[in-house]
Amino acid sequence: MTKIQGSKDCGNSPKNKFAQDVAIALESGKAEAKIFSEDVVWSRSTDSSTDGREEIMKYLASQAKPAEITVDHAVSHGKVGAASGEVVFANGHRRRFCHVLEFTSAKANCISVVQSYSWPAFPPWLGQQGGH
């Protein structure tokens, strides 16, 4: 089971909480299809893209499940939101993430576009301790 540490940004904001929940779903692979519009587009920093709710659900099911997910920040305004944080896998590998979300409406209960960025927590050119 994945250990989840949520952001403190979600206290009184259901929209921030939804942005956090979507990020956790994308990172854990445990998403409810209804959070995505039928024609959702998910672009990732790896130059790959997945189009459509069904394809995203298949992609998520095929991904390695992390041991831990920490959401540092989750924010929203109008029809956009974002969440950033870190995942840790069972082998100790760490990866930072940021998901920028476009909602279908200002109600922020369904996603139409996801733009995701990820990178190693300690890029090889900095060494294991971030260059310190």
Side-chain angles (χ1 to χ4, degrees):
M1 187 160 134
T2 303
K3 178 182 171 187
I4 306 291
Q5 175 66 45
S7 168
K8 293 182 172 109
D9 299 332
C10 300
N12 293 324
S13 174
K15 288 169 65 172
N16 287 3
K17 174 88 167 73
F18 184 67
Q20 172 179 274
D21 291 347
V22 171
I24 291 168
L26 293 171
E27 294 299 329
S28 71
K30 296 179 182 178
E32 292 185 42
K34 69 181 183 179
I35 68 171
F36 301 110
S37 68
E38 193 68 38
D39 58 349
V40 62
V41 175
W42 184 12
S43 300
R44 294 179 296 284
S45 58
T46 57
D47 293 328
S48 60
S49 178
T50 305
D51 298 350
R53 179 189 298 157
E54 286 183 36
E55 291 302 313
I56 286 177
M57 296 306 292
K58 287 180 198 174
Y59 177 84
L60 290 174
S62 72
Q63 297 304 296
K65 306 302 181 234
E68 297 178 32
I69 301 171
T70 301
V71 179
D72 297 326
H73 295 287
V75 296
S76 63
H77 184 74
K79 289 179 59 175
V80 297
S84 63
E86 182 177 63
V87 295
V88 180
F89 294 91
N91 65 3
H93 175 79
R94 296 175 171 283
R95 181 176 50 76
R96 302 286 307 163
F97 67 83
C98 180
H99 301 291
V100 180
L101 314 168
E102 184 174 323
F103 309 124
T104 56
S105 73
K107 286 175 32 177
N109 60 4
C110 188
I111 304 296
S112 61
V113 176
V114 180
Q115 295 177 332
S116 297
Y117 306 91
S118 65
W119 55 95
F122 296 110
W125 59 90
L126 290 179
Q128 286 297 342
Q129 299 303 314
H132 299 342

